[in-house]
Amino acid sequence: MASEHRTTKPTHRITAITPLLADLRGMDRATLAQDLVAGTLTAMLLIPQALAYALLAGLPPEVGLYASIVPPLVYALFGTSRTLAVGPVAIAAVMVSAALAPYAGDPDRYLTGALVLSALVGLWMLALGLLRLGWLTAFISHPVLSGFTTGAAIFIIGTQLPAMCGIPVARDAELLPLLTALFRDLPALNPAAVAFSSVTLTGLLLARGPLLRLLAHAGLSPATTAIVARTAPLALIILALFSAAALDAHERWDIAVVGVVPTGLPHLRTDILALPGWPSLLPSAALIALVAYVESISIAKALAFRRREKIDPNQELRALGATNLAAAGFGAMPVAGGFARSMVNFEAGARTQFAAIFTALWVGLAAATFAGLLHDLPKAVLATLIVVAVWQLIDVSSLKSTWRYDRGDGLAQAATLIGVLALGIELGLSIGVGLALLLFLYRTSRPHIAVVGRIAGTEHFRNIHRHVVETWPQLLLVRIDENLYFANTPRVESALQHLVVDRDELRAVVLILSGVAYIDASAREMLEALEASLAEAGIALHLAEVKGPVLDQLHGTALAQRLDGERIHISTQRAVGALTA
């Protein structure tokens, strides 16, 4: 038995690092067939997205394809989600564009800057995962993330309007100057670009509405109709490509096209450490890593919950870190989990990350054989794909709902949205996160403190201002509904002093700590000083409903020694019973 135990532990450690090995042991023909179908359908959506998001980031289209070959293979080995589809995503692409704006005039430096960003994003994620610091990403609250996503989506749409109209605008322009320049140059719009954009937009909208209803009426299942509709972008790209080539749109109407796309697979770059820009891009990479991880883990958890599977957040950080390092090494932009691709992968029946391997193989085949055929693809078509893809990220109703529920969270969400549009992607997100943290500190520094009494005939104690309760002149029951730490210690101390000073008959104060999970050193010193001050006035301090971790903290302190166990009560009822007997 001992030798058997020794052989299984290393195996368990290996499968924890590479969960795909565990799936491989249970693989059968049916599962492999499902993964093949899912991987094929996901590749049909990923290829146009890869081209479009590379354009959004200001990079050559092949960079998007490269980001869809090696990175998914690496994630397949280390990721704990069985259906997350990794590759280029819109939000990360626009953040890359914002970070590389200073390099906009130098294509070579712009490209190498993107590789450095991928490497730095990978290192940030890998470091957080190895240190098990995934909880730090929780500091992006949902309202801030929603405001950022909505602002970024509007920003992305604004940046794609010039390409849809065929009007050249500098890539380093901010949103408001860009829109101003666009309206100023409207007379110079290219009718051919507008025509390609309009046809593509109409096709995409039909695929999302009438086509779905038509397929459903024909008897197809909802899952099948959704998958067919989501492969519409690839069909539209092929149609636009052949139409532009047949009409010689580039030469005849001066429409902007993708241009030369090198045919072939990505190769390993060994000069990544020697590339310039590492220190200057470090802050931008941290924000990209944060947003990419939050987006990826949110999708992975949602899909895993639907199948009762488990996700390891820290292993996901390590997996995405390794994935982005691989992206840097093979000439690709930063990557993350994409919502639309992951949903197609999930609904197509993907069971393991072998689906991602099949997706990467299909994209690799396209890059190695068909990439050169993309020369005549109008950029207006890719810009339209981007607009339709990110339009669904705009959620103004969430802002209204948040504002009605909590003005503070609503303010943080609105500030993030406006900051992204007015000041840029990175600064807008930083403002939102900073405001949310300040709001948290403000709230926790002003804890809810309630004087409570007992509801007659029960053992329930409630706020004297909300319920009819019985109280005792010699006894003050105070409930503190917040952890006690340095930021709220002065306010708590002042509130307790005001409650005590006007009660001449008072003989005991009971602090009910049912809502306190942590007491820091400053708060402990405050409680010790409070106990001493009350004792001098002939008033005894008691504690009730103290949580186990807090008792462990207080063990051995001067406060615990003075209370001596007899003034620490398991319940408020026990405390009242002892003090009113």
Side-chain angles (χ1 to χ4, degrees):
M1 287 294 293
S3 61
E4 182 181 343
H5 180 67
R6 282 195 297 270
T7 57
T8 56
K9 281 189 72 175
T11 304
H12 174 72
R13 284 197 296 268
I14 293 172
T15 55
I17 296 173
T18 56
L20 187 65
L21 293 180
D23 293 331
L24 183 61
R25 288 204 295 266
M27 181 67 66
D28 54 31
R29 273 188 172 183
T31 301
L32 195 62
Q34 283 183 305
D35 285 344
L36 176 59
V37 172
T40 303
L41 291 171
T42 303
M44 294 175 69
L45 178 62
L46 177 56
I47 291 171
Q49 282 190 347
L51 298 171
Y53 294 153
L55 174 69
L56 177 59
L59 294 164
E62 66 270 16
V63 174
L65 293 175
Y66 296 166
S68 310
I69 300 174
V70 176
L73 294 176
V74 175
Y75 180 82
L77 285 175
F78 301 111
T80 59
S81 171
R82 289 170 170 80
T83 51
L84 186 69
V86 170
V89 294
I91 299 297
V94 75
M95 294 182 76
V96 168
S97 177
L100 298 178
Y103 307 154
D106 186 344
D108 291 335
R109 194 175 180 194
Y110 195 97
L111 177 58
T112 57
L115 304 188
V116 170
L117 273 178
S118 295
L120 287 172
V121 167
L123 290 173
W124 273 115
M125 289 180 167
L126 202 59
L128 291 175
L130 292 173
L131 296 173
R132 308 186 70 82
L133 295 177
W135 55 270
L136 286 174
T137 58
F139 283 103
I140 299 185
S141 67
H142 185 268
V144 168
L145 184 61
S146 178
F148 169 74
T149 303
T150 298
I154 297 172
F155 184 95
I156 290 169
I157 291 171
T159 62
Q160 298 311 298
L161 292 178
M164 293 176 68
C165 297
I167 300 174
V169 176
R171 283 205 56 83
D172 57 347
E174 295 179 357
L175 183 61
L176 294 180
L178 182 147
L179 294 178
T180 302
L182 176 64
F183 283 115
R184 184 185 64 238
D185 296 337
L186 268 181
L189 64 78
N190 188 315
V194 174
F196 273 101
S197 299
S198 301
V199 171
T200 305
L201 180 62
T202 302
L204 291 171
L205 294 180
L206 287 175
R208 289 170 177 262
L211 179 61
L212 286 175
R213 290 192 291 271
L214 182 64
L215 293 175
H217 185 70
L220 294 180
S221 67
T224 304
T225 58
I227 290 170
V228 172
R230 283 172 175 157
T231 57
L234 183 60
L236 288 169
I237 277 190
I238 295 173
L239 177 63
L241 183 58
F242 282 110
S243 300
L247 296 171
D248 196 16
H250 178 54
E251 294 295 334
R252 182 179 297 180
W253 298 308
D254 193 29
I255 187 172
V257 296
V258 168
V260 177
V261 180
T263 300
L265 296 174
H267 61 275
L268 180 64
R269 296 191 56 152
T270 57
D271 62 338
I272 187 70
L273 292 177
L275 297 178
W278 285 77
S280 60
L281 292 173
L282 194 60
S284 298
L287 289 177
I288 296 173
L290 198 61
V291 172
Y293 174 69
V294 170
E295 183 178 2
S296 302
I297 197 68
S298 300
I299 299 168
K301 284 183 175 180
L303 295 179
F305 180 77
R306 292 171 65 172
R307 287 188 182 169
R308 302 297 186 266
E309 296 170 349
K310 293 182 179 180
I311 297 295
D312 183 344
N314 287 304
Q315 177 62 19
E316 282 298 295
L317 265 174
R318 294 189 287 269
L320 289 168
T323 299
N324 277 282
L325 285 175
F330 285 89
M333 59 196 289
V335 297
F339 177 76
R341 294 193 302 271
S342 299
M343 287 303 300
V344 168
N345 200 36
F346 181 88
E347 291 169 356
R351 293 295 170 185
T352 73
Q353 277 295 331
F354 272 98
I357 294 175
F358 288 126
T359 297
L361 292 176
W362 281 119
V363 178
L365 179 63
T369 56
F370 305 124
L373 301 177
L374 296 171
H375 180 279
D376 292 317
L377 179 62
K379 288 186 176 181
V381 173
L382 292 178
T384 307
L385 290 177
I386 293 171
V387 168
V388 174
V390 303
W391 184 268
Q392 60 187 332
L393 299 177
I394 299 176
D395 188 4
V396 179
S397 62
S398 172
L399 177 58
K400 296 178 181 177
S401 175
T402 304
W403 182 264
R404 285 196 298 266
Y405 180 76
D406 188 294
R407 294 293 175 87
D409 284 339
L411 178 63
Q413 186 169 346
T416 307
L417 194 159
I418 295 171
V420 166
L421 296 178
L423 303 173
I425 295 289
E426 296 178 0
L427 191 54
L429 178 60
S430 301
I431 288 173
V433 172
L435 190 57
L437 291 175
L438 286 176
L439 182 62
F440 169 78
L441 289 174
Y442 175 78
R443 286 170 172 166
T444 57
S445 68
R446 302 166 65 86
H448 179 251
I449 299 173
V451 177
V452 304
R454 182 171 60 190
I455 297 177
T458 73
E459 295 184 359
H460 299 294
F461 292 81
R462 295 293 184 267
N463 194 323
I464 63 173
H465 299 300
R466 294 178 179 269
H467 301 270
V468 178
V469 294
E470 57 179 324
T471 59
W472 300 265
Q474 78 279 17
L475 183 60
L476 175 62
L477 306 175
V478 182
R479 191 185 68 235
I480 302 174
D481 296 328
E482 184 58 75
N483 292 336
L484 297 176
Y485 74 115
F486 64 92
N488 61 25
T489 293
R491 189 174 183 86
V492 171
E493 184 177 26
S494 177
L496 292 175
Q497 288 174 349
H498 278 89
L499 289 173
V500 169
V501 72
D502 295 330
R503 298 171 184 260
D504 296 333
E505 300 180 44
L506 190 62
R507 293 293 175 266
V509 173
V510 179
L511 294 185
I512 304 169
L513 303 184
S514 55
V516 177
Y518 177 74
I519 296 176
D520 77 352
S522 299
R524 174 186 58 80
E525 292 178 0
M526 180 272 291
L527 291 176
E528 290 175 351
L530 177 67
E531 193 279 334
S533 299
L534 290 175
E536 290 180 2
I539 302 172
L541 176 66
H542 293 249
L543 305 181
E545 301 187 27
V546 186
K547 296 182 182 296
V550 176
L551 282 176
D552 294 339
Q553 276 187 298
L554 296 177
H555 180 72
T557 64
L559 178 64
Q561 293 172 359
R562 289 180 64 88
L563 297 179
D564 195 26
E566 296 181 0
R567 287 190 277 161
I568 300 178
H569 307 274
I570 195 170
S571 69
T572 307
Q573 175 63 23
R574 291 277 187 92
V576 170
L579 294 169
T580 59

